[in-house]
Amino acid sequence: MAMEFLGIGPLELLLIIILALVVFSPKDIAGGGKAVGRWINRLSRSDTYRSMKQVSQELQDLPNRLAREAHLEELKDLEKEVKSAGDALRLDAPPQPPVPAIENRNEDSASVTKPDLQPAEPPVKNDTENTEL
């Protein structure tokens, strides 16, 4: 993030200092700098400046906040649709039988035979494909 104070960047501040040296004498600049420093200090500590800075930040964040709120509303609508579809499926579907216990499944799995897996035969090479004319 660029270093800025009151919308003035470092190059602009340097330009202002050089112009001040040209226009005013070095003796006058010391007193003027002191007065400007006090004024900026009072300004940055004032409630008006704080409220202006807060409003400015809120305005910068407004588009992102609105986008998040719109996205949340879409998600809530989608959640309602999914719930209503799930409720409709539960009403239409027949009741499911209970799942057997794990012990019963182990006894049944011992009697199950594994399918006989045989390796596939390699593809037959056709000599007509590789012939040259």
Side-chain angles (χ1 to χ4, degrees):
M1 185 172 163
M3 190 172 89
E4 287 189 14
F5 182 73
L6 298 174
I8 299 173
L11 292 177
E12 290 91 359
L13 184 62
L14 182 64
L15 179 66
I16 291 170
I17 291 172
I18 291 173
L19 286 174
L21 282 173
V22 170
V23 174
F24 303 107
S25 69
K27 292 179 184 177
D28 295 336
I29 288 185
K34 195 174 191 179
V36 170
R38 286 182 187 153
W39 182 78
I40 290 176
N41 189 9
R42 278 187 275 146
L43 175 69
S44 64
R45 291 180 184 217
S46 70
D47 291 333
T48 305
Y49 178 75
R50 287 182 187 160
S51 64
M52 284 176 36
K53 194 171 183 176
Q54 181 182 3
V55 168
S56 174
Q57 186 65 37
E58 288 177 4
L59 288 176
Q60 287 177 353
D61 294 341
L62 184 64
N64 291 336
R65 193 178 81 213
L66 290 175
R68 275 194 312 256
E69 289 175 2
H71 187 66
L72 288 176
E73 290 176 6
E74 290 175 10
L75 287 176
K76 288 178 182 177
D77 293 341
L78 183 63
E79 180 184 14
K80 288 178 185 177
E81 288 179 25
V82 168
K83 282 184 179 180
S84 65
D87 291 342
L89 286 175
R90 274 190 228 120
L91 294 176
D92 293 343
Q96 298 292 325
V99 177
I102 294 174
E103 294 85 25
N104 293 343
R105 278 197 244 161
N106 288 339
E107 293 170 6
D108 293 340
S109 64
S111 64
V112 175
T113 59
K114 295 182 180 179
D116 188 24
L117 299 175
Q118 297 178 358
E121 294 182 19
V124 178
K125 199 173 201 181
N126 191 352
D127 290 336
T128 59
E129 293 176 359
N130 294 329
T131 58
E132 295 179 12
L133 296 175

